[in-house]
Amino acid sequence: MKRAKQNRLSIHRKKKVAKSAQNHEQKRAVDLESDTQQSVQLPRKKVRWEGNSESVVAVADTENVSSEDDASISKICLTICCQSGRVAGAYYDFIRCIVYVLEDTQEDVHFDLTNMLLEQCNANVVLTSSKADDPFISVLQKFAEASGGVFQIRPHKEFTPHRGRDRLLSLRFLSELTTEDTGQCLSSDGSSGAEPRNAYEFMQKRKQAAGDPTMKRWNAAIRLANHASIESSPLCISCVGALLDYLARERAAGDLDDDAGVEGLNISGIEVLTLDQIMQINADALFSLQIFENESHASIHSDKTKEGLSLFGILDNTRTPLGRSLLRIWLMRPSLSIPVIAARHDAIECFLHPENLAPASTLQNHLKGIKNIPRILGLLKAGKAGVGDWQGLVKFTYHSAMMRDALAELHGGDLVEVVRKLVASLDIASFKDIGNAVNETIDWEESTINNRICVRPYIDEELDQRKHVYAGLDTVLCKVAEQICQKIPVDYTASLNVVYFPQLGFLICVPMQEEWRSEEGIKVLDGWSFQFSSDAHVYFKSEEMHDMDTHIGDLHPSIVDREIEIVQELLERILVCSEGMRYVCDVCAELDCLLAFAEASRAYNYCRPQMSEDPIIDIDQGRHPLQEQVVDIFVPNDARLSAGIGFGDRAELQETNSLPMCTSIVLCTGANACGKSVYLKQVALIQYMAQVGNRSDFVPAVSATLGIVDKIFTRIQTRESVSKVLSHCKAQSAFMIDLNQVSLALRNCTVNSLILLDEFGKGTIPAGSFSSRCKHNYGAGLFCSVIKHLLNRGSQCPKVLAATHFHEVFQKDMLDPHKFPITFLHMQVLFTSSKGNLNPGDVSISGDSESVNHERVEHTSVVAPGEKITYLYRVSPGLSRNSHAAQCAMMFGLPSRIAQRAQYVSKLLGDHELGQLLEEKMTVEEQENIKAAGIATYKFLAMDLTNDSHEKDIKLRLAEALGRAPHE
């Protein structure tokens, strides 16, 4: 009865809901008709599903929707922040709908990078954090005043990495995958358009329309690295977050009905900002090329680090702290200006001249005496300078004068820009006056003893008198003490002293008596006043003490005050020349770096590169600057590349380029551990060193002709660490990090860029196990796709250096050596038999005589037992179709039986002979059964069953195929 009652109630409730829905539909139709008649007078209303990219306009007046909605954000807004000497920024291009970001970069004291960024983006609105450095804020204020723009200092909470990351992951183009990205088709289910019948269906339909928030954040976190490498740039992420907040506020102010927030912004991409005169190189490329290398302290209890084997380490022969800091900045900002590079090459060449060795060495010795004058001047202004700081200022004045004489001895120094700048900036007369004034004023010995700045005698007469009185004060106090002893009762105390305390004046000191420790307390004589006591003494004031306070005074504070006044007068004389001294220190830092480059070039036999306007790399006998430091003999190699040679540009190459066999893509193959990675890195390092900073370096080669490279991208080393963690505790795999690096390169590279791909695609599984139809794996496919994509750019193809072990890609239907404009190279190896005979591993056959590369193909036969492999580390034209992994494994300690077994299994897998592996552990009977089963299978497949209509005939023929009697 109870269940029947519930059913009746349910039926009644359904009828009631249906009736209510019918009335609602009728009422909605009437309202819609009336609203249509008055739609001109009603404001626009928007109904927006969460996550939907379009808003459904519920009124007929849609013609008013135009680009005026974005008028409020048409101004260029730049968010920029500088903290602790590092700067980052972001701005929005409202025409292309792209956010440009500047990753965290070291800034110099002159804010050259900031000024360059301000001039390049020409922002109308500049925002910065309230915790930005004060000098940096002053630079922004001056720019805003000069340009007539708006400058705001926003609260620091808007410039936090966590907030910026949340804003980035909310962007629609990152979080929402299109059907092209997912490879799926949209559902065509007719029921999708039905009205939701209850709250559960409503929420499900809303989730389908908006997407899973967790999955959207995961997609955004993964795809973010494809656009910009800002995960390791907290300042950059903070600036992007502040920029997105500003754009959302401006959009909301322009359209009060729009409450989409950051998700509603029309942003189609994020690109790394390329400054006009600076090469772009991200943290992954710096790490892969070993530009910097921090080594931990030997003690686990110390957090200090030191520079390891790195390019900065071998070039850092600087003598000044400012020079070392400037060198690090130059290494992070290679130059793109050929005139600037050529001028600095002239300076290094001048210092390398044999006649200038002695003057250059003298200059370096004097540079050791140039301290951090900007820091010293800051301490002097703040009144915190110590004795060492004043001594550093005097040494600066001395060594600057000596450097002027050394500069005059340079042969051809008048043609060097940095020498001319330093000679013009050295005001020797003023510096000498400052040095003499400081040295004549400050008493170095007394200052060291007293741990404060003391003035020499005969500088101020009043000060000398006070010091004279203070020096004879002991005699005066002794005489006054004798006079007081004669006046006091004999039984009062056995002894007393007269002492002087700064700020307290003169006091009578009496030893503490035992009876004074009782309840009666301390006995005070007539005319005396108690001041204070200690465990051993009691101190009093008398009329004699007051007279001495009046006539002699508080000597020590007066002496200190007078010395401070004298030092302050001296400081005012120094600050007149402070700007000149700062400029001299900056020029000395440049000179220090150039002399360090010259010393490294002389020590490591570097040569001057010839910079060209053409996008080429032509290196003769190039060397790896770091690898040659750790091996006994380094084998140099040539390298030739020319940008812009893709599909259809081969004829143009022969007409315009004098370099033989030169293409945009060089693909290197060879055995494991044969030096392919070193070869790729050495080419990039030579190009990098030629453009280091604004003051370029010589390069490790016999000769080099190099064009300008605006960006360097690498896929060489995968940095896996716990810091590579995305949202919801999902870490990036090594292969995912590699994909992000390659995606970043493909999105941002230009015809003047250089890309290094070292074994890209490794780490993926074969497509479909070991099926004979699935011969290639995903990694090889990705590698071929990237190479073909770059070649399809034609005249916009960048310079690419690649190394791979995917030997199966060199086929007619993939990377055909005879058809693709690719230079194929391999690293030569040599095999030694057990009898001592030499077998050149690079014995090759000639390719097509009309081919661009005249490629040669190394024999693919495996090494015979007993043979040893010798790496020649020499690059040669052609392909190598064997990695010799087994020989490499045995060289590094893997047992020979394991390596031989690996060779055997690899050969069977390559020949698709998996049956032999399965038969190894079978008995003879099992093998016979498998053989018989195979024969029966072939017979069965050969049977024609289309004409058999009787079941009995089919059974007889099956029994015959299986070799069995019919009754079985």
Side-chain angles (χ1 to χ4, degrees), residues 307-321:
E307 192 67 29
L309 180 62
S310 64
L311 184 63
F312 176 74
I314 65 173
L315 296 180
D316 184 20
N317 298 311
T318 55
R319 269 50 175 190
T320 65

Side-chain angles (χ1 to χ4, degrees), residues 606-657:
Y606 293 168
C607 76
R608 174 175 181 170
Q610 298 298 321
M611 306 307 297
S612 172
E613 296 286 349
D614 299 326
I616 62 173
I617 294 179
D618 183 11
I619 301 173
D620 183 20
Q621 299 295 298
R623 310 185 308 275
H624 194 291
L626 303 180
Q627 189 69 20
E628 67 175 348
Q629 305 297 320
V630 296
V631 296
D632 296 332
I633 299 176
F634 186 87
V635 179
N637 286 296
D638 301 341
R640 289 176 175 83
L641 293 94
S642 179
I645 310 301
F647 286 131
D649 296 313
R650 188 177 304 183
E652 181 182 356
L653 169 67
Q654 296 176 354
E655 294 176 2
T656 60
N657 199 336

Side-chain angles (χ1 to χ4, degrees), residues 604-607 621-625 628 686 689 698-702:
Y604 304 130
N605 193 24
Y606 293 168
C607 76
Q621 299 295 298
R623 310 185 308 275
H624 194 291
E628 67 175 348
I686 290 174
M689 292 174 66
F698 281 29
V699 297
V702 174

Side-chain angles (χ1 to χ4, degrees), residues 34 69 93 269 408 470-471 519 549 562 615 619 644 684 742 832 939:
S34 61
D69 294 339
D93 186 348
Y470 187 76
E519 296 179 356
D549 290 340
R562 182 54 187 161
I619 301 173
V742 174
T832 306
K939 288 181 179 181

Side-chain angles (χ1 to χ4, degrees), residues 461-637:
E461 182 177 357
E462 180 182 355
L463 177 63
D464 292 342
Q465 292 178 355
R466 295 179 183 177
K467 286 188 174 182
H468 178 72
V469 174
Y470 187 76
L473 193 59
D474 291 342
T475 304
V476 175
L477 296 180
C478 290
K479 293 181 178 179
V480 173
E482 292 177 356
Q483 296 175 1
I484 294 176
C485 286
Q486 296 176 0
K487 297 180 180 180
I488 62 175
V490 178
D491 58 347
Y492 183 75
T493 181
S495 62
L496 63 82
N497 292 317
V498 176
V499 296
Y500 168 76
F501 286 105
Q503 306 295 332
L504 297 179
F506 297 92
L507 298 172
I508 299 174
C509 178
V510 178
M512 176 68 74
Q513 306 295 327
E514 288 296 332
E515 57 272 16
W516 292 353
R517 300 179 188 274
S518 61
E519 296 179 356
E520 297 180 359
I522 299 174
K523 182 180 180 181
V524 180
L525 297 179
D526 294 337
W528 288 17
S529 62
F530 172 78
Q531 299 296 312
F532 61 93
S533 65
S534 64
D535 293 338
H537 298 88
V538 181
Y539 296 90
F540 302 93
K541 278 279 189 182
S542 64
E543 292 185 3
E544 294 85 354
M545 300 300 102
H546 288 293
D547 292 341
M548 295 178 65
D549 290 340
T550 302
H551 294 90
I552 299 178
D554 201 354
L555 283 179
H556 187 270
S558 63
I559 292 174
V560 173
D561 292 343
R562 182 54 187 161
E563 286 180 334
I564 291 175
E565 294 175 358
I566 296 174
V567 172
Q568 185 63 30
E569 294 174 0
L570 176 63
L571 178 59
E572 292 177 358
R573 294 175 54 187
I574 295 173
L575 293 180
V576 174
C577 302
S578 61
E579 293 300 325
M581 287 189 288
R582 291 177 187 272
Y583 181 73
V584 169
C585 287
D586 294 337
V587 180
C588 286
E590 297 180 15
L591 177 64
D592 193 13
C593 291
L594 292 174
L595 288 172
F597 287 155
E599 183 178 352
S601 301
R602 181 169 54 252
Y604 304 130
N605 193 24
Y606 293 168
C607 76
R608 174 175 181 170
Q610 298 298 321
M611 306 307 297
S612 172
E613 296 286 349
D614 299 326
I616 62 173
I617 294 179
D618 183 11
I619 301 173
D620 183 20
Q621 299 295 298
R623 310 185 308 275
H624 194 291
L626 303 180
Q627 189 69 20
E628 67 175 348
Q629 305 297 320
V630 296
V631 296
D632 296 332
I633 299 176
F634 186 87
V635 179
N637 286 296

